[in-house]
Structures are given as C-alpha cells and as structure tokens.
C-alpha cells in the first residue's frame, strides 16, 4: 500500500516563499502529483514529477527525490488566494489506476 | 473543454431513500473515478472505471453501486445509506497512462444522510 504524510498546517506571509513537504512509503509509483483545493471546491492539478528533480510551473515548483522518499511543493510570491489545502498524490505501478492522496496541508497566507 | 460536471450539487436523503449521483466529462478520458471526502481529510478513492470496466473497488459497502453507461458518464447509485456516509463525493477523470498523471475533478456533490 501507499502512505503519504504531510504537515497538517502551514502559515506564511503574503509575498514570501513556502515549502510543503510530502514524505512517503510506497510499494511503487509512477510519479508524484500535487493538487490544490480551496474550501468548498474541487481539487485542481498543480504539478507532476515523474523523475527526480525540480519541475517549475510559474510560481509553483515541485521536487521529487525517490532515494529519500520525499517530495515538496514550493510556492513563491505568495498571494492571499493561495490559502487552500494542498495534497500530494501517487498512482500505483500495480496498474488499474489506483491513486492515493497524502494527508493534506492547509496553507494559510497572512498579510 | 476540461470540465467535469456533477449533479446534483447538494443532496439530502433519508436512510431508506434511493438516489443517484451523476458525473459527465467530454475530454475523451477513459478512466473515471469516484472519491469520498470528509471535512479536513484527503479524498479517499472508492471506485475506478477504466475503459468502462470497473477496475478498482476499494472495499466499498454495497449500499454504493457504481455504473459507467458509456465513456462520458459515471453514476453512483445510493441505497440505504448511513449518516456516516455524509460527505463530499467527487468524480474525476483522466487519461489512461497519460504523461502527466492529471486528474480532472468535478465540483462534487455534498451529501447529507439524515
């Protein structure tokens, strides 16, 4: 099975940089995805790392290290609208499209 | 069109009722998913359909019955639910084996069981 752990809450100041970590224990996965979910909304896809290293998409970057069983999402130039929950997720290599989400991190951006 | 639609947005039902949740996508995705999400928790996978065939059932109680009538539609039939089944039910779709592993989620149905 898959287990992905994230800090439950993070608070950061508008304009700053914040890193949200995801540590995992898995039996094999294709890559690490990140999703954002605002209160009352649906998860929306942010980023995906198939390989180790850094992927950059605008203000958001994501990193994966399979040797360390670790990944993170980096948000730069924080804006108030970034206040949301963030989830890492993996898809099993066992096939059949099984996806497991991490425990989730609630980010609060303060002025 | 990258939209997944779900109806209804809200549903209140008694424990003896039968109701259905509906999900639709027109992105040509051949994998469709049902998730259950409780407040302040991550989405929990319930069912996956791949090429209109049920490929994953995460030991979901039989009072939840999924159906995939065609490649664009996904239903979740509900019968004799319990109050603890109250949650946000999310539908998602994706390519099968796509390069970025992106799932597209619908807005969800907020279900309350009385």
């Amino acid at each position: 099975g898959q287990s992905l752990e994230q800090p439950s809450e993070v608070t950061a100041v508008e304009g700053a940089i914040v890193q949200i970590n995801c540590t995992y224990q898995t039996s094999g996965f294709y890559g690490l995805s990140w999703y954002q979910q605002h209160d009352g909304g649906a998860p929306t896809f942010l980023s995906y790392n198939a390989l180790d290293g850094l992927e950059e998409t605008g203000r958001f970057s994501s990193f994966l290290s399979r040797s360390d069983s670790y990944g993170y999402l980096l948000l730069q130039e924080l804006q108030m609208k970034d206040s949301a929950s963030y989830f890492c997720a993996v898809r099993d290599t066992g096939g059949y499209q099984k996806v497991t989400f991490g425990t989730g991190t609630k980010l609060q951006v303060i002025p | 069109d990258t939209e997944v639609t779900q109806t209804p947005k809200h549903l209140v039902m008694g424990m003896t009722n039968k109701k259905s949740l509906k999900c639709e996508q027109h992105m040509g995705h051949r994998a469709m998913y049902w998730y259950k999400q409780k407040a302040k928790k991550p989405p929990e996978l319930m069912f996956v359909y791949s090429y209109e065939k049920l490929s994953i059932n995460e030991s979901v109680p039989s009072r939840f019955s999924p159906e995939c009538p065609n490649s664009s539609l996904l239903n979740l039939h509900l019968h004799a639910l319990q109050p603890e089944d109250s949650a946000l039910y999310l539908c998602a779709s994706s390519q099968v084996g796509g390069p970025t592993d992106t799932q597209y989620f619908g807005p969800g149905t907020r279900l309350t069981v009385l």
Side-chain angles (χ1 to χ4, degrees), chain A residues 35 37 42 48 91 96 98 102, chain B residues 33 37 42 56 100-101 103 106:
Chain A
Y35 288 83
Q37 186 177 27
Y48 176 67
R91 185 186 300 277
Y96 306 112
K98 179 171 179 175
Chain B
Y33 311 75
Q37 187 176 28
I56 293 178
T100 62
D101 205 40
Q103 289 186 78

Side-chain angles (χ1 to χ4, degrees), chain A residues 30-31 33 35 37 40-45 47-48 50 87 89-91 95-104 106, chain B residues 31 33 35 37 40-43 45 48 50 55-56 58 88 90 94-97 99-103 105-107 110:
Chain A
Y30 287 111
S33 298
Y35 288 83
Q37 186 177 27
T44 57
F45 174 81
S47 187
Y48 176 67
F87 296 95
V90 296
R91 185 186 300 277
Y96 306 112
Q97 307 295 316
K98 179 171 179 175
V99 177
T100 303
F101 280 77
T103 52
K106 187 164 180 64
Chain B
Y33 311 75
Y35 288 90
Q37 187 176 28
K40 302 185 188 301
K41 297 291 187 184
L45 186 65
V48 181
S50 183
S55 59
I56 293 178
E58 289 287 275
L88 180 67
L90 293 162
S94 74
Q95 295 179 10
V96 176
T100 62
D101 205 40
T102 305
Q103 289 186 78
F105 283 82
R110 190 160 298 281

Side-chain angles (χ1 to χ4, degrees), chain A residues 6 16 20 26 28 33-34 46 50 55 57 59 65 68 74 76 81 95 103 105-106 108:
Chain A
Q6 301 176 235
I20 298 174
T26 76
S33 298
W34 287 92
L46 290 177
E55 291 286 339
T57 311
R59 294 189 297 115
S65 169
D68 295 321
L74 194 71
Q76 303 182 73
K81 67 178 182 180
T103 52
T105 299
K106 187 164 180 64
Q108 183 181 11

Side-chain angles (χ1 to χ4, degrees), chain A residues 31-93:
Chain A
L32 189 69
S33 298
W34 287 92
Y35 288 83
Q36 177 192 61
Q37 186 177 27
H38 286 98
D39 284 348
T44 57
F45 174 81
L46 290 177
S47 187
Y48 176 67
N49 292 75
L51 304 174
D52 283 7
L54 193 67
E55 291 286 339
E56 297 182 72
T57 311
R59 294 189 297 115
F60 296 164
S61 302
S62 57
F63 174 82
L64 175 63
S65 169
R66 289 177 187 263
S67 59
D68 295 321
S69 298
Y70 166 71
Y72 67 73
L73 179 70
L74 194 71
L75 295 81
Q76 303 182 73
E77 301 171 16
L78 279 173
Q79 301 175 10
M80 299 300 289
K81 67 178 182 180
D82 297 328
S83 293
S85 292
Y86 293 83
F87 296 95
C88 56
V90 296
R91 185 186 300 277
D92 279 11
T93 52

Side-chain angles (χ1 to χ4, degrees), chain B residues 21 45 51 63 88 112-113:
Chain B
L21 310 184
L45 186 65
Y51 296 102
R63 57 186 184 269
L88 180 67
T112 302
V113 182

